[in-house]
Amino acid sequence: MIAPKTLKLSLKSLRDFAKKQLPDEKLIELDERDECPLEIVRHMCDPDKLGIQLLFIPEEFGGMGGGAFDVYCICEEMAHIDLGVATAVLATFLGSDPITVGATPEQKKLWLSRIADEGILFAYGATEPDAGSDLGALKTTADRVLQDEKVVGYKINGNKQWISNGGIADAYTVLANTPGGPSWFVVEKGTKGFTHDEPEDKHGIRLSNTAALAFNDVYVDADRLIGGVEGQGLNQAQAVFGYTRLMVAAFGLGAGWAALDRAVPYSTKRIQAGAPLSEKQGYTHKLIVPHAAHLEAARAYIEETAERIDAGNEGSLNTEGAIAKYMATEAGNAAAEAGIQALGGYGYTHEYMVEKISRDVRITTIYEGTSEIMEMTISRDRWQLHLKTRGQYYHQQAAPLEELHAKHPEVGADIAALALHALAEVLERARNGHLTRHQHILLRLGELIAYAECAGCLSRRAARMADGKLHEKASRRFEAAGLAALARIFAREAALKVAQDGLRLIVGAGSLSSPDVIALETSLGLPAIHRAQTGLLSDMDLVADVLYNRAAKQVLSAA
């Protein structure tokens, strides 16, 4: 992990670079031309210039050894600037991840040192035209080439689709089936038989290069098999999902705030019916405040997961990475849509960045695992925990929040606990009724789990801020009072969503009698959850005031 001061300087350098090289006007122009600014991407990865890639490379290979928290901070900032450029930079680190987790010491030294010293770009060649997110269904093959009964190389045949940096990378990690099972290989550009298509004509992130790859008897030496042992590919891919999905979560977070950071100042200047939009609850309480709450709930979960990854003793945290990605990217997508609505007719035109941001952030709910894959991942894992604990897992998770409420009654921990208790009841009713045989219910449970866990996490984060114990690199968009209000707002929404949507799913999948439905309402704690909605409007007023005071200060400092 890098020092806080170093990270702060890196973020400032990134912002200063973007202000000069990637102003909104240029981003919109490049978007219209569907052009990846390769020179700028290479400048960002040049160790003698911006050298952003050094943050991601271990120190022993010439990098700065940034941890998961550092990566999250950088990814959020890059996405706040432009998601297409951010994707081009991310692709190198995604592409090098199989090397980082699975390569031999010699392979790590060769490739990671080249990324650090030369700034070479990588691409991650996993997805295929027919397999989508199902890595186990890949059809690309790597056949052994023997010499005197010894494997000296492999011939790769197949196709890859939707590959970020597909047409511009210097090297590619490619997943292919060997006789020993799925395995990763390094293939350099220009290798005979290896070609890529023209860039895809995409809905968004048009500043990133996305292209299909084709392999026709592409020969690579045996030392290009990552790890030197066949059949480790899926394990190597799984080992980094918690980490890489956290990066994409940060992308959703950064893009969502990029939209709100344009909508807020716009509304202070836009006069409607004799007053600025910023003074109208119909604007702030629909288009701004709820999205700020969702984004900060996602941030809390991202930061907590990053801290746990950096602690290094809790495995890959794949499910936590899935929750972070799901909540942050869905929140970012919704915030960007609200950004368009917030600007009205202007927001719908290519001239304004919110329209571009909305098209860009949409991809974060698709790549590195769709939102539906995330829901399935979340529900399957937490369902097992529910079964192993005989239905007590989320009741147990609620108990510390109830204790936290005694110390910090202002952070909504008691309401978040109601959400977790309700979730435990929903899961138990689903078990009793064998409802997880319905895929729709399984996916919706994944959503409810994500909301409830993020509610608890945001309350914990607000309490840590109040105690002055927030991570030294943590974002401080809101002071303690504002963050506590956001925690209460989100906890109310999460509790109501878990209880009401859970009730709907259980009743909708079965044939409960009226008395059974009434009993279910009580067991879900709906009366208490309804009472907990008290104070919602005043909390939304408080958050709006915080946001617009900040916007006013920014306008004054810019002037």
Side-chain angles (χ1 to χ4, degrees), residues 159-208:
N159 296 278
K160 299 294 180 179
Q161 189 80 30
W162 319 121
I163 307 303
S164 296
N165 286 359
I168 63 173
D170 302 299
Y172 302 72
T173 47
V174 179
L175 187 64
N177 272 320
T178 68
S183 308
W184 288 98
F185 294 86
V186 179
V187 180
E188 292 187 83
K189 72 174 181 180
T191 303
K192 185 179 178 180
F194 172 40
T195 59
H196 61 78
D197 287 351
E198 290 296 311
E200 302 284 357
D201 185 10
K202 304 188 300 294
H203 174 65
I205 57 167
R206 293 166 69 84
L207 274 68
S208 72

Side-chain angles (χ1 to χ4, degrees), residues 385-558:
L385 288 176
H386 178 80
L387 297 180
K388 288 177 182 177
T389 59
R390 299 181 181 274
Q392 294 305 303
Y393 179 74
Y394 281 112
H395 288 309
Q396 293 167 356
Q397 295 298 305
L401 289 170
E402 291 166 339
E403 294 174 8
L404 180 63
H405 175 66
K407 182 179 180 182
H408 284 289
E410 79 280 9
V411 300
D414 56 330
I415 310 174
L418 289 175
L420 291 167
H421 283 308
L423 179 60
E425 293 296 324
V426 169
L427 292 173
E428 186 62 12
R429 291 291 186 135
R431 184 190 69 80
N432 289 335
H434 307 287
L435 302 185
T436 56
R437 70 181 186 273
H438 303 289
Q439 188 185 57
H440 174 65
I441 288 182
L442 196 60
L443 292 177
R444 299 282 49 78
L445 290 177
E447 178 186 25
L448 301 185
I449 290 165
Y451 267 76
E453 290 199 20
C454 283
C457 196
L458 184 54
S459 291
R460 288 192 294 272
R461 188 177 193 273
R464 288 178 67 184
M465 174 169 268
D467 288 337
K469 295 179 180 179
L470 205 59
H471 193 294
E472 56 190 344
K473 299 175 186 175
S475 167
R476 286 170 171 77
R477 269 185 170 269
F478 294 87
E479 298 301 328
L483 193 63
L486 284 167
R488 295 191 297 270
I489 289 168
F490 188 80
R492 291 186 185 100
E493 180 182 352
L496 197 60
K497 183 176 184 64
V498 170
Q500 292 194 162
D501 286 10
L503 178 69
R504 180 171 179 259
L505 291 171
I506 294 164
V507 173
S511 54
L512 299 182
S513 65
S514 293
D516 287 338
V517 172
I518 294 171
L520 177 57
E521 291 172 343
T522 302
S523 69
L524 291 174
L526 267 169
I529 290 171
H530 288 155
R531 291 193 298 272
Q533 304 305 311
T534 302
L536 174 61
L537 199 61
S538 60
D539 280 343
M540 296 184 81
D541 289 340
L542 189 157
V543 171
D545 288 343
V546 169
L547 283 165
Y548 282 95
N549 284 338
R550 171 184 287 271
K553 290 177 183 177
Q554 289 175 339
V555 169
L556 288 173
S557 63

Side-chain angles (χ1 to χ4, degrees), residues 17-306:
F17 174 81
K19 189 174 182 179
K20 294 177 182 177
Q21 300 295 328
L22 293 169
D24 286 359
E25 297 78 12
K26 184 168 184 177
L27 292 172
I28 291 170
E29 178 186 343
L30 288 166
D31 178 78
E32 289 182 352
R33 295 208 307 260
D34 196 9
E35 179 182 329
C36 173
L38 182 56
E39 183 178 341
I40 288 176
V41 172
R42 290 201 178 277
H43 183 113
M44 295 175 73
C45 296
D46 187 328
D48 296 323
K49 296 176 182 174
L50 198 58
I52 200 73
Q53 86 284 5
L54 297 175
L55 293 159
F56 299 78
I57 302 296
E59 292 182 77
E60 60 264 39
F61 304 116
M64 298 169 67
F69 211 103
D70 303 309
V71 169
Y72 135 67
C73 294
I74 293 294
C75 285
E76 182 191 3
E77 188 61 44
M78 288 195 299
H80 196 276
I81 295 164
D82 184 80
L83 253 175
V85 174
T87 298
V89 176
L90 165 71
T92 286
F93 308 109
L94 183 59
S96 64
D97 275 335
I99 298 171
T100 302
V101 301
T104 64
E106 295 79 13
Q107 289 171 332
K108 289 182 180 180
K109 183 177 180 180
L110 171 62
W111 296 109
L112 297 181
S113 295
R114 286 193 64 190
I115 294 172
D117 298 339
E118 303 171 32
I120 64 172
L121 303 181
F122 257 82
Y124 185 78
T127 306
E128 296 189 354
D130 297 323
S133 297
D134 185 3
L135 297 184
L138 81 159
K139 297 180 181 179
T140 299
T141 59
D143 297 319
R144 296 169 181 166
V145 176
L146 303 176
Q147 184 175 317
D148 297 328
E149 299 185 358
K150 178 183 178 182
V151 178
V152 296
Y154 293 84
K155 283 190 175 180
I156 302 174
N157 286 278
N159 296 278
K160 299 294 180 179
Q161 189 80 30
W162 319 121
I163 307 303
S164 296
N165 286 359
I168 63 173
D170 302 299
Y172 302 72
T173 47
V174 179
L175 187 64
N177 272 320
T178 68
S183 308
W184 288 98
F185 294 86
V186 179
V187 180
E188 292 187 83
K189 72 174 181 180
T191 303
K192 185 179 178 180
F194 172 40
T195 59
H196 61 78
D197 287 351
E198 290 296 311
E200 302 284 357
D201 185 10
K202 304 188 300 294
H203 174 65
I205 57 167
R206 293 166 69 84
L207 274 68
S208 72
N209 176 282
T210 308
L213 311 179
F215 302 86
N216 183 18
D217 281 341
V218 174
Y219 175 81
V220 295
D221 289 330
D223 64 2
R224 298 303 175 89
L225 168 63
I226 295 178
V229 178
E230 295 178 359
Q232 301 301 305
L234 296 186
N235 290 336
Q236 291 163 353
Q238 288 285 341
V240 297
F241 273 156
Y243 180 76
T244 57
R245 285 171 177 165
L246 209 66
M247 297 169 76
V248 179
F251 280 2
L253 182 65
W257 270 114
L260 294 190
D261 283 341
R262 285 168 170 83
V264 168
Y266 170 85
S267 65
T268 63
K269 301 172 185 177
R270 180 66 170 173
I271 307 300
Q272 289 285 295
L277 288 172
S278 58
E279 296 180 8
K280 301 179 184 299
Q281 283 187 346
Y283 184 96
T284 59
H285 290 28
K286 177 185 178 184
L287 301 177
I288 306 296
V289 174
H291 300 288
H294 280 226
L295 289 167
E296 290 307 297
R299 182 192 302 284
Y301 206 89
I302 290 170
E303 292 192 349
E304 189 171 283
T305 303

